[in-house]
Amino acid sequence: SIVLHIMAVSAVHLESDAFLVCMNHALSTEKEEVMGLCIGEVDTNRIVHIHSVIILRRSDKRKDRVEISPEQLSAASTEHRLADMTGRPMRVVGWYHSHPHITVWPSHVDVRTQAMYQMMDQGFVGLIFSCFIEDKNTKTGRVLYTCFQSVQAQKGSEYERIEIPIHVVPHEAIGKVCLESAVELPRILCQEEQDTYRRIHSLTHLDPITKIHNGSVFTKNLCSQMSAISGPLLQWLEDRLELNKHSIIKLQKEKERLTQELASL
Amino acid sequence: MEEFNTTVRISGFVLSSLMFHHLNSDADVEGLILGESVGEENCRITDSQIDHIQFEHTINIQKHIPCHNLHSFYSNAGDVSEEKIRQILSDYKEENVIGWYRQRRNSRQQMTFMEQVIHRNMRKILSSQELVFMLLTPSQATASGSTHRLEFSAFIWHSNQYINIPILVSNLGNLEQQDYWSMSGTCPSLGESQAVNRHRTKFFCSGDDLKEVRNISNMNDALLGEMQKVCEEVEKSERAVEKLQEDITQLKEAIRKQKRNSEKNETQKRGSPDEPKENVLLCSALRTLFPDAPSLQTQTLTVQGFPVLELCCNTDHNIDIPTKLPLILENQHTKRKDTAPRLRKKCLVASYPQRLKRKRKTNNTSELASESGSDTEVEMNGQSRSNSPIF
């Protein structure tokens, strides 16, 4: 018998500024998988347009246990950040996570997780970013990204992944929502660290030496975050501002020139 | 003996930014890389007389400056202009240039000849000891377009060749995150020790909070606050750039429209000049010089390039030859006497319409006329025999 899969999604168009935020997030750590949600809309041609992403915290940090809780999903759906500059309503259209040092293809767990999301929304898509891969022979670094959904070959059988074409669409100026999501990362990391520290610190049986030690650990960890994340992110923002200032000067000159040309015609 | 050990480090944010630059362009992109180079010498003296010296060099890529166009700082021959580099750098210092980068789709992780030339010329101009060339090559990994790949590496000139060095993406994960102690692993006397309790206040604030924790938290909060401010400024600048680009597009469109309208008005004034006018002087001249060569009096050619004799101009243009074209008359009187033997150079391939023309010609009892494309009578000394004037 022939099984026909009616594709709920024909392709994914990921705007480049949303891609930038995903990539920043995926490259932030090689020690654990990171994850987030994709925000956008689906058009009448069944193309999923991803305009921005939301960075999420992982409560369960076990390897290959990347899952978004229903609470996180519902919280994201009501976030004010979903409102787009275009005025069109945006919604959660997919999820992404990273595979540091691991192949880009979704694991069995990933495929099952994706299938679960598809049950509530058949247009839901999954993105995976594979980073920190190096070819030792050619000394070449590698980054890969893929888009997939899950299908069941037959009722009751194992889920399999299907490939969904993905195109990164140019978006030269970075959107407001994307910028806000980008600077969420250091805040989330800091929050996680503070929560961990407070949990430990509230244990009553610890002696002063242990507490001082833990205070140092907190300091060290926060310094790592500032050094690896906040610092470079701030640097990038300042460079971007500088670049834009130069562009504005150039563009203003061009605009004046064209205005004069139009007036002379 | 020297061992050369260089690594290049880049933060994930700069790598993402580089990818962002290329994703917004259809073509190849390039730009300058700024950062710093830190060298460390580890000298180890071995048991033998030889000093074993190991150099460890770390090149930190801190930012990149994208070029708006290709060939911004070099010519087609690969000559690098220091002036143009300074222009691109604007406020940034030349000493901080540690290299340049190129991004090209679906190509190999190998320097092209042109890139090597540019790199060599850059090394001559810039003071940086080890200039880095960073090459990023994105490609599609699956036919469906579901998966995409980016490969990247750095090249430097060392020991008379270009060598490939790996780029490490610095991130939170490669900084050792320490673990908290959740149990007091020490003996209870520490908790009761007088010494410890005496010095305790130096570390703890009122209550149970540690001064260190409070200080670092405050600093971190301040840093995040600073980041938020810059983020807001960046957002404003992005919108400003977008608005200007929109304005420019609108202006260009308006100019195009204006030009089209003014062109339309002008052509309407001129009437309908589209029909080509006949060069009556040329027609008369040819008819006078070659009265028996209708092939020279037609303006129409077949697709193969042979003159259509049926469409000769037959109108008398009433040109007064002695007045308008006096040189022609001079030549008519100096027709060369033909004594040289003739060679007939037959056209090897005569097309069907040509063969048709020849058939028609044989029916015609007119004098032999030179038909271009068929027989061309050539003199022994190479000149074509005809009534063509000698200038």
Side-chain angles (χ1 to χ4, degrees):
Chain A
S1 61
I2 303 165
V3 180
L4 280 173
H5 291 297
I6 298 165
M7 304 283 288
V9 174
S10 57
V12 169
H13 287 188
L14 172 62
E15 305 225 303
S16 63
D17 56 347
F19 176 88
L20 176 66
V21 183
C22 286
M23 210 63 237
N24 277 346
H25 194 200
L27 292 173
S28 65
T29 177
E30 61 178 298
K31 277 279 159 69
E32 61 188 38
E33 294 153 320
V34 302
M35 71 175 186
L37 290 171
C38 302
I39 310 297
E41 53 189 350
V42 186
D43 68 20
T44 48
N45 294 320
R46 290 174 293 118
I47 295 175
V48 178
H49 296 265
I50 301 175
H51 294 288
S52 63
V53 296
I54 293 178
I55 290 175
L56 292 176
R57 271 177 72 170
R58 277 180 72 199
S59 43
D60 180 3
K61 292 209 177 183
R62 282 179 295 165
K63 259 197 155 62
D64 198 24
R65 285 279 180 277
V66 184
E67 244 186 49
I68 303 164
S69 68
E71 294 82 28
Q72 281 176 315
L73 267 171
S74 68
S77 308
T78 55
E79 262 209 42
H80 67 280
R81 260 191 286 158
L82 293 194
D84 194 55
M85 298 285 273
T86 62
R88 289 198 302 274
M90 298 286 141
R91 61 183 180 84
V92 180
V93 293
W95 67 306
Y96 72 88
H97 71 279
S98 71
H99 274 187
H101 299 291
I102 310 165
T103 171
V104 73
W105 310 121
S107 64
H108 292 305
V109 179
D110 291 334
V111 175
R112 255 179 271 139
T113 309
Q114 168 65 28
M116 202 175 70
Y117 298 142
Q118 273 174 241
M119 280 183 220
M120 57 148 200
D121 175 5
Q122 57 172 347
F124 210 76
V125 291
L127 267 67
I128 299 178
F129 292 83
S130 164
C131 329
F132 305 105
I133 307 269
E134 192 194 304
D135 185 332
K136 289 282 189 293
N137 295 327
T138 60
K139 303 223 177 92
T140 304
R142 215 173 280 164
V143 164
L144 289 101
Y145 59 96
T146 190
C147 184
F148 73 104
Q149 276 198 311
S150 299
V151 282
Q152 221 175 3
Q154 277 169 35
K155 242 194 153 131
S157 70
E158 266 296 311
Y159 282 100
E160 287 171 1
R161 80 173 167 98
I162 49 164
E163 296 180 12
I164 304 285
I166 178 167
H167 308 279
V168 178
V169 173
H171 199 275
E172 269 189 51
I174 304 173
K176 180 170 194 238
V177 183
C178 286
L179 275 169
E180 283 170 2
S181 294
V183 297
E184 263 302 291
L185 178 58
R187 276 191 214 122
I188 286 175
L189 290 168
C190 171
Q191 197 71 54
E192 275 185 342
E193 196 63 40
Q194 281 176 344
D195 288 351
T196 310
Y197 172 72
R198 278 198 202 108
R199 228 182 7 252
I200 301 282
H201 193 68
S202 63
L203 297 168
T204 48
H205 59 271
L206 301 178
D207 65 55
I209 304 299
T210 303
K211 290 198 170 171
I212 293 169
H213 169 266
N214 286 344
S216 299
V217 169
F218 178 79
T219 303
K220 185 184 190 296
N221 290 347
L222 226 58
C223 286
S224 296
Q225 287 177 15
M226 288 194 276
S227 169
I229 307 293
S230 313
L233 182 51
L234 179 62
Q235 177 81 66
W236 174 75
L237 283 166
E238 287 171 352
D239 296 339
R240 182 75 187 173
L241 185 62
E242 195 65 34
L243 184 75
N244 286 348
K245 280 186 181 155
H246 284 123
S247 295
I248 287 170
I249 292 171
K250 256 183 80 180
L251 290 169
Q252 236 149 23
K253 281 197 189 128
E254 172 84 359
K255 179 179 171 180
E256 274 164 28
R257 183 186 73 81
L258 288 169
T259 310
Q260 279 177 7
E261 190 180 331
L262 184 63
S264 71
L265 280 177
Chain B
M1 190 182 76
E2 269 181 32
E3 243 184 61
F4 186 77
N5 189 11
T6 303
T7 45
V8 176
R9 301 186 83 94
I10 193 172
S11 78
F13 298 98
V14 180
L15 182 57
S16 304
S17 178
L18 282 164
M19 293 176 79
F20 183 63
H21 178 208
H22 198 198
L23 286 166
N24 289 329
S25 169
D26 284 337
D28 296 348
V29 296
E30 61 196 13
L32 300 175
I33 301 176
L34 278 72
E36 57 182 15
S37 186
V38 179
E40 230 178 30
E41 185 191 294
N42 295 324
C43 185
R44 271 182 286 138
I45 303 167
T46 59
D47 289 335
S48 60
Q49 298 295 316
I50 309 161
D51 282 347
H52 188 91
I53 308 168
Q54 196 177 51
F55 287 99
E56 267 183 34
H57 227 121
T58 308
I59 300 172
N60 283 315
I61 297 176
Q62 290 164 342
K63 64 168 125 272
H64 72 103
I65 301 179
C67 291
H68 292 285
N69 306 303
L70 295 172
H71 300 267
S72 306
F73 56 93
Y74 55 87
S75 69
N76 285 337
D79 296 319
V80 177
S81 155
E82 193 173 1
E83 179 60 42
K84 290 205 177 127
I85 289 184
R86 280 215 201 92
Q87 266 178 11
I88 295 167
L89 285 173
S90 61
D91 297 329
Y92 294 115
K93 296 201 187 79
E94 216 174 276
E95 304 94 69
N96 293 341
V97 178
I98 55 162
W100 63 299
Y101 70 89
R102 206 133 204 277
Q103 306 196 50
R104 35 183 168 82
R105 290 181 175 90
N106 304 310
S107 58
R108 292 174 63 192
Q109 269 290 320
Q110 209 174 46
M111 284 181 89
T112 64
F113 180 68
M114 180 63 155
E115 285 159 4
Q116 290 181 16
V117 169
I118 297 166
H119 195 77
R120 188 177 62 228
N121 290 332
M122 276 191 90
R123 282 178 63 238
K124 283 187 205 156
I125 286 174
L126 297 167
S127 52
S128 176
Q129 284 295 312
E130 284 178 326
L131 213 65
V132 165
F133 172 64
M134 187 175 173
L135 180 62
L136 295 97
T137 49
S139 56
Q140 216 165 284
T142 57
S144 61
S146 68
T147 312
H148 302 264
R149 175 205 298 124
L150 169 75
E151 293 193 319
F152 56 93
S153 78
F155 295 83
I156 52 169
W157 178 256
H158 180 68
S159 306
N160 297 323
Q161 58 175 340
Y162 283 104
I163 58 170
N164 199 337
I165 43 177
I167 299 178
L168 295 176
V169 180
S170 52
N171 63 90
L172 196 57
N174 62 15
L175 295 171
E176 291 157 28
Q177 294 279 86
Q178 211 88 344
D179 284 331
Y180 292 102
W181 290 346
S182 55
M183 305 241 273
S184 287
T186 53
C187 46
S189 63
L190 257 181
E192 288 144 22
S193 142
Q194 276 185 353
V196 169
N197 282 315
R198 213 169 38 237
H199 288 267
R200 208 195 128 92
T201 48
K202 293 192 191 123
F203 297 91
F204 289 85
C205 338
S206 58
D208 210 17
D209 285 340
L210 277 149
K211 285 181 187 169
E212 190 178 10
V213 169
R214 209 177 269 189
N215 289 338
I216 197 74
S217 294
N218 288 342
M219 179 152 79
N220 191 49
D221 287 342
L223 182 62
L224 292 180
E226 189 177 329
M227 190 187 303
Q228 181 61 36
K229 275 207 194 83
V230 180
C231 180
E232 282 163 18
E233 282 179 65
V234 170
E235 211 273 307
K236 275 196 212 117
S237 68
E238 298 284 337
R239 303 289 79 81
V241 167
E242 260 181 340
K243 176 86 180 43
L244 280 167
Q245 278 170 341
E246 246 180 65
D247 291 344
I248 285 172
T249 310
Q250 279 177 6
L251 280 166
K252 283 188 180 163
E253 185 55 44
I255 288 172
R256 252 199 300 268
K257 264 198 193 143
Q258 273 287 74
K259 284 195 176 154
R260 252 185 282 143
N261 284 338
S262 58
E263 261 176 33
K264 235 190 261 177
N265 292 337
E266 269 193 44
T267 51
Q268 276 171 5
K269 281 189 216 150
R270 272 191 261 122
S272 55
D274 291 321
E275 282 188 33
K277 295 199 179 86
E278 190 189 358
N279 189 338
V280 296
L281 284 177
L282 180 61
C283 182
S284 306
L286 287 169
R287 214 184 288 156
T288 313
L289 287 169
F290 313 108
D292 304 320
S295 63
L296 295 173
Q297 287 159 37
T298 174
Q299 292 174 63
T300 312
L301 300 177
T302 64
V303 172
Q304 285 83 15
F306 301 118
V308 180
L309 303 174
E310 290 78 10
L311 296 173
C312 278
C313 174
N314 288 318
T315 49
D316 184 8
H317 297 293
N318 292 320
I319 304 282
D320 184 22
I321 300 291
T323 336
K324 295 269 179 154
L325 304 164
L327 290 175
I328 290 177
L329 296 177
E330 275 181 40
N331 269 289
Q332 279 192 314
H333 292 142
T334 58
K335 253 194 232 176
R336 283 186 303 116
K337 287 259 161 81
D338 178 35
T339 49
R342 288 181 241 156
L343 281 176
R344 276 180 193 273
K345 188 169 89 182
K346 275 196 156 63
C347 184
L348 288 173
V349 178
S351 59
Y352 176 76
Q354 208 50 34
R355 277 178 254 131
L356 205 61
K357 257 183 235 142
R358 283 210 207 117
K359 270 201 175 158
R360 279 197 220 130
K361 264 290 153 185
T362 52
N363 297 336
N364 208 327
T365 51
S366 64
E367 294 283 319
L368 48 77
S370 63
E371 275 180 41
S372 62
S374 54
D375 299 337
T376 307
E377 293 163 308
V378 177
E379 282 190 335
M380 277 291 278
N381 61 5
Q383 280 182 316
S384 71
R385 179 234 185 242
S386 65
N387 293 334
S388 56
I390 301 150
F391 295 99

